Amino acid sequence: MKFNFKMSKAKQTVNYEGEKAFVLTPQLELYTAAATAGLSDQFYEKAVDKIERLRKLIAVNDKEFVAKLAVYVREKMYLRSVPLVMTVELAKQASGESIVSKLANRVVQRADEIAELLAYYALANERKDVKKLNKLSKQLQKGLAEAFNKFDEYQFAKYNRDAAVKLKDALFLVHPKAKDEAQQALFDKIAKDELAVPYTWEVELSVLGQQKFDTKELKQEAVRAKWEELIFSNKLGYMATLRNLRNILEAEVSKEALNKVCEYLGDAKAVAKSKQLPFRFLAAYRELKQLNNGRAGKVLDALEQAVLQSAANIAGYDENTKVVIAADVSGSMQTAISAKSKIMNYDIGLMLAMLLQSRCENVVTGMFGDKWKMISVPKKNILSNVQEFYRREGEVGYSTNGYLVVKDLLQKNKVVDKIMLFTDCQLWNSQGNESIAGLWKEYKKIAPNAKLYLFDLAGHGNTPLNVQRDDVFLIAGWSDKIFDVLKAIEEGSNAIKMIEAIEL
């Protein structure tokens, strides 16, 4: 990240591997922590420790910046939980200020997030009885009351779950004001638990599952008919489609139904509207690769098309710009992003690396652990490229010797324009005393115009190089929108400026 600070030296520390590292500014540290917060245990940091670090960082940062960052993380990084956490924690620092109500209303973009925010509020304030959240922040209450006006009966019913804080509890806690008689009738339905049962794939399949059939064949036919009904009704959303591709194939839906699914997956507008994190496509792809189904190939092709659509708006580089893309596949990157997910940090790194690779005309790709290894892959077939790296990650070992990427260029006396490292930034040298910081200084002597980009996928609060220099940049996050930051850097801006430009 480029900063025009009047400071000669950045503060130094050591990273989790004991290697020398540089301390980030409070703004940068909060940005990287929030943009990569799955709020589950990581290799180096437990979820509770991450939340505690977020709290401390929120307390020392400007309130408006915190609010804008929460919006950025929700609307650009597509994360749901951490913006709610940031809103509650900001309410402690900005008690009574309208910025809290504006933020609460802004980050709540699904009906269930009203109750989720209150559940975290109870947890953060050690309120055991969530139904008696007396002294609820007035500004939070105001923001959530306004958020109630965003949703219709279908949306409320779809997310009306039996959780610690129910939708009805939230209604009684925040006392939203109905904008008209129809909405008052809707609020009354919530209060009386009389919301209409929504038409969703979960409800429809649940009802079907409770029926009894005389034969297996009759049940299979009913399941097939139900999936076809859902597909042709256009009620199966994009994420629901991604998550159910295996079920759809196993239901043996008709050719017409499967064609419709594939067309939907690969449709540019549908991909853009869905706001899927890139690794969602990878998860679906891997699920289908395990199937012994003659029609799976058609759906795999549709997933590749979907990913190509998601990469289409990434600003790439032409033949005249030489790029090196290196993915960290070390042991610390092999931690699942959540308890329920099979996706790991290094999957995210590989996925983002291959998205960028597909947009570069003159690019070398590879991975590093104990060793640095270059691997040539096609520009298209992004998901199969990820799988190729995934299959071969054991070839380089599991240390985080990212310095070898720069050392290799030095030894070959090869000048490139851009070096992109997708990593958790906990780089070290398991083999000697050379560091990436020292090697970068040497490399700049033969390639004075070269730029180095650290794509931080974990947000641990330090970096192996000084990102306050004008040739080292920091970008954080799991969404393909991180490449908007890359483009901004090319145009003389940075992530912090992008966040500060957000209107609340």
Side-chain angles (χ1 to χ4, degrees):
M1 192 64 56
K2 184 175 179 179
F3 288 98
N4 194 20
F5 292 141
K6 291 183 179 179
M7 50 190 297
S8 56
K9 292 183 179 180
K11 292 182 181 179
Q12 288 197 347
T13 184
V14 292
N15 64 22
Y16 285 102
E17 293 290 354
E19 187 79 10
K20 287 183 180 179
F22 293 88
V23 176
L24 297 176
T25 64
Q27 274 189 325
L28 267 180
E29 184 175 355
L30 181 58
Y31 154 62
T32 59
T36 58
L39 299 184
S40 60
D41 289 352
Q42 296 175 299
F43 186 87
Y44 293 116
E45 188 175 31
K46 300 295 184 185
V48 291
D49 297 328
K50 183 92 164 194
I51 290 176
E52 184 57 33
R53 188 154 63 90
L54 282 169
R55 284 174 176 161
K56 291 177 179 178
L57 288 167
I58 288 168
V60 297
N61 270 282
D62 175 75
K63 298 170 188 175
E64 187 169 313
F65 175 76
V66 173
K68 290 182 175 183
L69 176 59
V71 171
Y72 173 82
V73 170
R74 183 67 182 92
E75 297 182 356
K76 299 296 184 182
M77 295 294 103
Y78 309 146
L79 299 182
R80 293 181 53 239
S81 296
V82 72
L84 304 181
V85 169
M86 294 176 71
T87 302
V88 170
E89 297 302 331
L90 180 63
K92 298 177 183 178
Q93 307 298 323
S95 179
E97 296 183 31
S98 62
I99 193 172
V100 175
S101 60
K102 290 179 182 177
L103 179 60
N105 187 26
R106 181 79 171 265
V107 299
V108 170
Q109 297 184 13
R110 269 184 21 178
D112 58 329
E113 289 170 350
I114 297 173
E116 286 184 16
L117 189 149
L118 288 169
Y120 179 74
Y121 183 88
L123 182 68
N125 290 280
E126 299 181 349
R127 307 283 179 85
K128 293 183 179 180
D129 189 349
V130 295
K131 294 182 181 181
K132 296 180 180 178
L133 286 175
N134 56 326
K135 297 184 179 178
L136 177 66
S137 161
K138 294 299 182 185
Q139 289 298 322
L140 274 182
Q141 181 179 349
K142 180 182 177 183
L144 293 179
E146 292 171 349
F148 258 97
N149 292 320
K150 292 181 178 182
F151 309 109
D152 58 24
E153 183 170 4
Y154 175 84
Q155 292 168 309
F156 280 127
K158 183 178 179 180
Y159 296 111
N160 188 23
R161 296 164 179 163
D162 186 16
V165 179
K166 300 180 179 63
L167 185 57
K168 180 169 69 173
D169 300 329
L171 182 77
F172 293 152
L173 283 166
V174 305
H175 306 294
K177 184 178 180 181
K179 57 187 177 184
D180 52 35
E181 290 184 6
Q183 191 171 60
Q184 184 57 57
L186 173 56
F187 290 167
D188 291 341
K189 283 187 176 183
I190 295 173
K192 297 175 183 178
D193 288 322
E194 294 177 351
L195 288 170
V197 176
Y199 181 90
T200 66
W201 68 270
E202 297 102 328
V203 171
E204 291 297 298
L205 291 176
S206 176
V207 171
L208 182 64
Q210 294 170 20
Q211 296 179 22
K212 293 183 179 180
F213 298 92
D214 293 334
T215 66
K216 243 175 144 181
E217 290 74 19
L218 285 173
K219 182 177 181 180
Q220 174 69 18
E221 176 60 25
V223 170
R224 181 196 61 76
K226 181 55 67 177
W227 275 114
E228 290 186 2
E229 176 191 319
L230 288 165
I231 291 165
F232 288 114
S233 71
N234 296 319
K235 291 289 187 179
L236 199 62
Y238 201 93
M239 178 172 275
T241 301
L242 269 182
R243 287 180 172 177
N244 284 287
L245 291 174
R246 179 172 188 154
N247 293 330
I248 290 169
L249 281 170
E250 290 181 339
E252 299 181 0
V253 299
S254 67
K255 176 183 176 180
E256 292 76 17
L258 191 62
N259 285 343
K260 184 174 175 63
V261 167
C262 292
E263 288 169 7
Y264 183 40
L265 286 176
D267 182 76
K269 290 182 179 179
V271 172
K273 186 179 178 181
S274 72
K275 299 180 180 179
Q276 295 299 309
L277 289 165
F279 66 77
R280 303 286 188 199
F281 297 104
L282 180 61
Y285 185 87
R286 286 182 176 166
E287 185 77 11
L288 294 192
K289 289 287 282 186
Q290 298 173 16
L291 283 184
N292 184 17
N293 187 299
R295 298 197 295 173
K298 183 181 183 70
V299 186
L300 291 172
D301 286 343
L303 285 172
E304 289 283 14
Q305 178 64 24
V307 174
L308 278 174
Q309 297 289 4
S310 72
N313 293 322
I314 296 173
Y317 298 102
D318 61 23
E319 181 69 26
N320 296 320
T321 304
K322 297 176 181 178
V323 180
V324 174
I325 295 176
D328 180 351
V329 295
S330 63
S332 61
M333 291 285 285
Q334 299 189 34
T335 304
I337 60 171
S338 73
K340 297 180 180 179
S341 179
K342 295 179 182 178
I343 295 294
M344 295 178 280
N345 271 343
Y346 86 139
D347 290 321
I348 294 173
L350 290 172
M351 189 72 202
L352 294 172
M354 291 302 101
L355 282 171
L356 181 59
Q357 184 265 354
S358 73
R359 302 292 293 161
C360 298
E361 297 295 330
N362 190 342
V363 57
V364 171
T365 56
M367 57 186 175
F368 65 87
D370 297 334
K371 297 177 287 185
W372 156 241
K373 188 168 191 173
M374 288 177 282
I375 300 175
S376 296
V377 290
K379 287 178 60 62
K380 294 183 179 180
N381 299 326
I382 293 169
L383 294 167
S384 62
N385 287 346
V386 172
Q387 286 299 92
E388 175 67 7
F389 272 69
Y390 182 81
R391 183 180 67 83
R392 299 179 61 178
E393 50 86 20
E395 296 177 12
V396 298
Y398 301 102
S399 292
T400 49
N401 293 334
Y403 75 94
L404 291 172
V405 179
V406 180
K407 185 176 181 178
D408 182 56
L409 292 170
L410 263 171
Q411 290 176 335
K412 294 175 179 176
N413 198 38
K414 184 175 182 179
V415 174
V416 300
D417 301 293
K418 301 179 186 301
I419 302 172
M420 314 281 192
L421 301 184
F422 292 83
T423 176
D424 62 6
C425 286
Q426 301 305 292
L427 305 184
W428 69 305
N429 185 339
S430 67
Q431 303 167 348
N433 296 319
E434 293 174 306
S435 70
I436 190 170
L439 288 166
W440 180 242
K441 288 180 182 178
E442 290 300 310
Y443 186 67
K444 290 291 289 183
K445 293 177 183 178
I446 69 167
N449 296 320
K451 308 292 183 185
L452 192 149
Y453 301 80
L454 296 170
F455 289 84
D456 187 350
L457 306 175
H460 289 309
N462 55 67
T463 53
L465 296 109
N466 180 3
V467 297
Q468 292 174 21
R469 295 164 59 100
D470 62 2
D471 53 2
V472 181
F473 304 87
L474 182 66
I475 302 171
W478 298 343
S479 164
D480 54 309
K481 295 299 181 183
I482 62 171
F483 299 117
D484 289 349
V485 180
L486 180 59
K487 182 181 179 183
I489 289 171
E490 299 291 304
E491 296 172 352
S493 186
N494 56 54
I496 301 302
K497 288 180 181 178
M498 288 180 65
I499 293 163
E500 290 176 334
I502 290 173
E503 292 185 7
L504 295 174

